[in-house]
Amino acid sequence: MANVIKLRKGLDIKLQGKATEERMSLKSSGKFALVPDDFEGVVPKVVVKEGDMVKAGEALFVNKQYPEMKFASPVSGRVTAVERGERRKVLSVKVEADKEQTFVDYGKPDIEKMDGRVIFEHIMEAGLLGYINQLPYAITAIPGRPRTIFVSALRDKPLACDFEYEVKGQEQDFVTGLKALARITKVYVGVGKDSALLSHISSLEHVEPVVFDGPCPAGNVGVQVNNLEPVNKGEMVWAIGDPTVVLFIGRLFNTGKVDLRRTVALCGSEVKKPCHVEMLVGQELQTLVANSYDQDHHVRIINGNVLTGRQTTKDGYLAAHASEVTIIPEGDDADEMLGWAMPRLKEFSVNRSYFSWLFGKKKEYALDARVKGGERHIIMSGEYDRVLPMDIYGEYLIKAIITGDIDKMEQLGIYEVSPEDFALAEFVDSSKLELQRIVREGLNNLRKENA
């Protein structure tokens, strides 16, 4: 019987445009790009040059600080460009795929006969370590043995791609991935109530499933870490908030290949037919979004989830951890007479400023990208705590980060948090502060101080 943790704080935002279970077949343009910025904390060193031929699973760049840490090409083909920005910062490494794909063969070793250190090195050699994040600092995992590994198989953000749907037919790869990770150290797997995965993982050695019952952000791996085994200064844990990474690892050991396929939800109120599609990490978005929305509408395309993803264009590429491509109205052409003073029925408000709350919690909304207000001084109202199911004082932590008080930041639990943990707090914040950016800057500054 799995342990059940009931969370009461949080907020479920019901948005229009959730992907149906229909799968759309997608013809690839053959253009791919691996973007170093998708891997937080990595300083890339490119190991290929324009015109080189690479196999799927072969390194395109490495972590300059840890050269043994590779980042693999999702496809075989020709390197068409190494795109650089200011101060020669590497923006992307682009590859044009071959018609017939070839893969680096990493073999099919027996996990049961492998030591944890050997498994770790095998994952790193194949270029998959970069898809695992670590706490503290919420950065890409660096070489080293973690205290514990946390995997969240519960996606509960608005319009999120349901992992239970994605993993159907791939349960064996998921189990193999967990077995490999469990040889390194103990693994916690966070799932939702009534999860079908429980029957597959409950008997695995050194793997402990935990049911998280509550509103968003119960699926955040940082929230799960805080409620299970909080991180202390000097410790390091792996926090896998993207469960597809476990599938990547499982496929590596089952097939001997680096297979970066993932199920992506094309969603949002502007999408004509929300659906699911199978894509590769780094695949060009052009063929996916080109005819998916009304071209006359001014929209925002988000590479990832509506709360935590990054704004992109139809010429962008699927981010390393993106399980959704979301399209919502930009909102810059909206004309609302009297603004918030009107008793609107189609607008969402946490504080019941509109009468729409009378329709209950199941009503779906078509929200746009507007902030609806200007940035102002932080208001100590307890808003963050109502949607942050963690044993920390969110508002005080934000104030400590803004003022650069490192001692206070440490006392208030900054080692336990990641920017996405404050995504909902940012959504409800009356001060209109960019909380995720503030937390990221605080974590980066703290990491420099402790380097």
Side-chain angles (χ1 to χ4, degrees), residues 66-244:
Y66 302 93
E68 68 275 22
M69 187 175 169
K70 303 176 181 179
F71 293 82
S73 172
V75 292
S76 66
R78 182 173 64 88
V79 177
T80 56
V82 177
E83 187 180 10
R84 296 182 181 270
E86 294 182 6
R87 298 186 179 181
R88 293 187 56 76
K89 175 184 176 181
V90 181
L91 301 180
S92 66
V93 180
K94 298 181 178 180
V95 179
E96 186 172 346
D98 294 329
K99 291 183 178 180
E100 296 293 330
Q101 289 292 294
T102 57
F103 296 81
V104 176
D105 186 3
Y106 288 100
K108 304 177 187 178
D110 186 353
I111 294 175
E112 303 297 333
K113 298 179 181 179
M114 297 176 72
D115 178 75
R117 182 65 192 176
V118 177
I119 286 180
F120 170 81
E121 292 174 350
H122 193 71
I123 292 172
M124 185 166 60
E125 175 67 22
L128 296 182
L129 179 61
Y131 290 87
I132 299 173
N133 288 336
Q134 72 167 53
L135 291 175
Y137 309 125
I139 59 172
T140 299
I142 60 176
R145 187 183 180 90
R147 183 202 70 191
T148 322
I149 299 174
F150 297 85
V151 178
S152 175
L154 170 61
R155 291 180 180 147
D156 60 357
K157 293 185 180 70
L159 303 179
C161 176
D162 186 3
F163 184 66
E164 300 276 336
Y165 173 80
E166 178 178 4
V167 80
K168 284 181 181 178
Q170 304 182 78
E171 290 87 355
Q172 190 54 52
D173 287 333
F174 189 68
V175 168
T176 300
L178 290 178
K179 284 182 177 179
L181 293 173
R183 300 290 290 182
I184 299 174
T185 188
K186 181 177 180 178
V187 179
Y188 285 104
V189 182
V191 297
K193 59 181 180 179
D194 303 322
S195 172
L197 289 173
L198 286 171
S199 61
H200 296 279
I201 64 179
S202 57
S203 61
L204 297 182
E205 191 174 0
H206 304 304
V207 175
E208 182 178 338
V210 182
V211 174
F212 283 86
D213 183 10
C216 177
N220 279 17
V221 68
V223 171
Q224 297 179 8
V225 172
N226 181 267
N227 283 272
L228 289 169
E229 291 184 9
V231 182
N232 298 312
K233 185 176 182 179
E235 297 179 334
M236 187 265 283
V237 303
W238 285 0
I240 303 177
D242 176 12
T244 309

Side-chain angles (χ1 to χ4, degrees), residues 13 44 152 244 246 259 278 366 406 417:
I13 307 170
S152 175
T244 309
V246 181
D259 185 349
E278 189 173 90
I406 291 177
V417 304

Side-chain angles (χ1 to χ4, degrees), residues 374-385 388 393-404 412 422 425-426 428-439:
E375 185 175 314
R376 64 204 71 158
H377 293 297
I378 188 169
I379 302 170
M380 303 297 287
S381 61
E383 289 175 313
Y384 303 173
D385 293 335
L388 189 61
Y393 294 106
E395 291 174 342
Y396 290 96
L397 176 56
I398 292 295
K399 287 181 69 176
I401 295 173
I402 292 173
T403 58
L412 291 168
F422 283 81
E426 183 175 298
V428 304
D429 184 20
S430 299
S431 302
K432 308 300 180 183
L433 299 178
E434 296 180 8
L435 300 185
Q436 294 183 78
R437 176 187 59 79
I438 291 171
V439 173

